[in-house]
Amino acid sequence: MGGDFLQRAAQGLLVALTVAAAAHAQSTTGRILGTITDDSGRALAGVTVRVISPAMIGGELSATTGDGGGFQFLGLFPGNYTLTSELAGFVSQERQEIGVAPGGAASVLVTMARSTFASEIEVVAETPMVDPTQVTTEQIFDLQYLQGSAIGSFNRAYQAILRQAPGVVGGDNPNVFGSTLSDNAIFIDGQDTTDPVTATWGTLFNFDSIAAVEVQTSGFEAEHGRAIGGIVNLVTRSGGNRFSGSLDLRYRAQAFQESGEHYDSSELDSSRRDLSATFGGPLARDRLWFFAAWEEVSLRATPSGSPTTLDYQGTNFNLKLSWQASPGWRAVARIAGSPAETANDNASRFVMPEAGSAVRQGTDLYSLEVDGVLADALLWSLNAGASRSKLDQYPLSGDLATPSHLNVSSGLLTANFDSQQYSRRNRRELASDLSWFVDAAGAH
């Protein structure tokens, strides 16, 4: 009986470790793990392994392989990394373009041959990547993909990227493998931004501030609760040791459209202007980084036959500070907002000017993440955040007393807008997890 109990306890511990690692997959960081052997397949202990990347705050990290030839680096920002391995008497190895995804594990297998010259080094520019810990069906859209894929002004939104994942169809709130549009969960830098009322996306973001988008479509763990559609994990950029920025202006208008035999462009009147800028860099090299982004969006549209014009004015901003307090401890603070106002939100040929509506909406996000590498395979994370959203709709005239009039025969709305609502949708979060990455019966 004692043997059965110990066996069940060991199995339970293994399951618990697996679940802990899977829960950390919703993190904003990833890891690199690997094994180093000689050319006969024997594990090499005592190999010095180093990683470096422009995406990594704190400078170069190093580790030493154990008896099994294994190593790993935890808490890495998404991006491409370079790994070097050195051992006296062997050809030094360099692996480039090792992609680290949010919540993922990049596995590297390195073979070191014996050397006859002390200065020998083998460089592999493109390293094939496999994540042996992945149990979900997911798609990772990294920074390089995002910068090369968005064309036009309407596609410069993370909602448009979601539809590029297999099994995802629909609009800004997509259907994932037949689920409804309210079955998804959307995280930004690990913070749940799903609208608590409609269960749809809850905020907008400057597209140029996104570092990676992870879209999980099936196989994710039970801690996601009500989400039976898809899990979206968006990670924002973090600055770097070099100052850099961007400026992007996009404009489109109905006047650019050419009329044809069966189309008259003058029947519609619309325009959209999107001005965005980003800037980031070091406040203290390898210790304190910042990244800031700002976007102004202006949209005007006059539906066919409408006496009024819809006028949308929105701002999207975010600021991120990353502090490497020590080699094993890091804190990241973020603030973001997306205030917007719309005049004549109900513009239509069936709505008279005095019955126009106004909408005031937006979401403010605040979050703090603390990560600590307690040991080579032990990672602790603390996440605290708050989301404050509002959606107000009311008569554009400001007249809250005059009743509206709807002609049921013609469908014409006159006298005043027929509704008013003031909605507050707030959320607070506090979460902590301790992940122990072990290599027993496979990596967990």
Side-chain angles (χ1 to χ4, degrees):
M1 182 174 180
D4 292 340
F5 174 78
L6 292 176
Q7 183 178 6
R8 288 195 300 271
Q11 291 173 344
L13 177 61
L14 185 59
V15 170
L17 292 174
T18 304
V19 170
H24 194 72
Q26 205 50 38
S27 170
T28 59
T29 62
R31 59 188 175 119
I32 295 176
L33 56 89
T35 303
I36 300 180
T37 64
D38 61 17
D39 48 10
S40 68
R42 181 174 59 89
L44 289 178
V47 180
T48 300
V49 187
R50 298 183 176 89
V51 292
I52 190 67
S53 170
M56 182 174 68
I57 191 172
E60 182 181 84
L61 294 177
S62 64
T64 303
T65 60
D67 293 338
F71 66 90
Q72 66 177 324
F73 297 94
L74 306 179
L76 304 179
F77 283 158
N80 289 323
Y81 287 74
T82 296
L83 181 145
T84 60
S85 55
E86 299 175 348
L87 181 64
F90 289 83
V91 178
S92 298
Q93 301 287 313
E94 180 177 296
R95 297 291 188 269
Q96 301 177 354
E97 299 295 321
I98 300 174
V100 173
S107 179
V108 182
L109 302 178
V110 179
T111 300
M112 302 182 67
R114 293 194 175 274
S115 174
T116 55
F117 300 97
S119 60
E120 282 187 293
I121 182 170
E122 179 182 344
V123 179
V124 177
E126 295 185 4
T127 307
M129 286 295 104
V130 175
D131 185 350
T133 68
Q134 181 179 328
V135 297
T136 65
T137 302
E138 66 180 28
Q139 183 80 33
I140 303 293
F141 301 100
D142 59 16
L143 180 61
Q144 182 179 1
Y145 180 92
L146 295 174
Q147 291 180 338
S149 66
I151 301 175
S153 57
F154 281 102
N155 287 333
R156 289 176 56 78
Y158 69 86
Q159 293 92 335
I161 292 296
L162 308 184
R163 299 191 293 270
Q164 299 181 32
V168 181
V169 296
D172 290 344
N173 293 291
N175 306 102
V176 179
F177 288 129
S179 64
T180 69
L181 55 83
S182 61
D183 286 333
N184 307 313
I186 300 175
F187 297 82
I188 294 179
D189 285 328
Q191 181 180 2
D192 191 349
T193 63
T194 313
D195 190 302
V197 175
T198 62
T200 55
W201 63 264
T203 188
L204 298 171
F205 240 80
N206 184 330
F207 192 82
D208 290 328
S209 68
I210 303 174
V213 179
E214 175 192 20
V215 183
Q216 302 179 43
T217 54
S218 66
F220 43 84
E221 301 297 332
E223 77 268 13
H224 298 296
R226 56 161 184 78
I228 59 175
I231 303 295
V232 179
N233 186 24
L234 183 155
V235 179
T236 59
R237 296 169 64 181
S238 303
N241 278 327
R242 299 175 61 183
F243 291 104
S244 63
S246 66
L247 180 64
D248 189 283
L249 173 61
R250 298 175 188 243
Y251 180 78
R252 60 177 294 175
Q254 191 67 27
F256 296 162
Q257 303 289 329
E258 184 177 353
S259 298
E261 184 177 353
H262 303 288
Y263 172 69
D264 184 0
S265 62
S266 64
E267 289 185 356
L268 298 176
D269 181 17
S270 67
S271 65
R272 178 186 172 96
R273 176 177 53 83
D274 190 339
L275 174 63
S276 63
T278 67
F279 187 64
L283 296 176
R285 185 178 178 85
D286 283 327
R287 294 298 300 272
L288 184 61
W289 290 355
F290 78 93
F291 186 86
W294 185 272
E295 181 179 28
E296 291 282 353
V297 179
S298 175
L299 172 64
R300 293 176 58 85
T302 305
S304 178
S306 174
T308 59
T309 299
L310 180 149
D311 186 355
Y312 170 91
Q313 303 293 326
T315 300
N316 306 317
F317 67 88
N318 60 286
L319 174 64
K320 185 175 184 179
L321 295 175
S322 305
W323 176 39
Q324 192 73 36
S326 68
W329 289 90
R330 179 175 63 235
V332 180
R334 313 172 188 88
I335 181 173
S338 57
E341 293 188 9
T342 307
N344 290 307
D345 179 66
N346 60 340
S348 165
R349 69 175 67 184
F350 300 105
V351 178
M352 293 297 99
E354 69 274 14
S357 67
V359 173
R360 184 182 295 115
Q361 64 191 86
T363 299
D364 296 326
L365 300 175
Y366 311 89
S367 67
L368 175 66
E369 177 183 350
V370 178
D371 295 317
V373 180
L374 306 182
D376 290 342
L378 192 62
L379 179 65
W380 175 74
S381 295
L382 174 68
N383 293 274
S387 172
R388 298 177 180 176
S389 301
K390 67 178 180 181
L391 176 60
D392 300 339
Q393 187 176 32
Y394 47 89
L396 180 62
S397 64
D399 181 0
L400 305 182
T402 302
S404 63
H405 181 270
L406 175 64
N407 188 313
V408 294
S409 298
S410 64
L412 196 66
L413 184 66
T414 59
N416 200 4
F417 181 55
D418 59 352
S419 175
Q420 57 177 302
Q421 61 170 322
Y422 303 91
S423 175
R424 297 297 180 267
R425 307 167 182 192
N426 300 331
R427 183 196 300 270
R428 296 182 180 88
E429 297 181 34
L430 180 62
S432 178
D433 66 79
L434 183 67
S435 300
W436 181 20
F437 302 95
V438 299
D439 189 11
H444 298 280

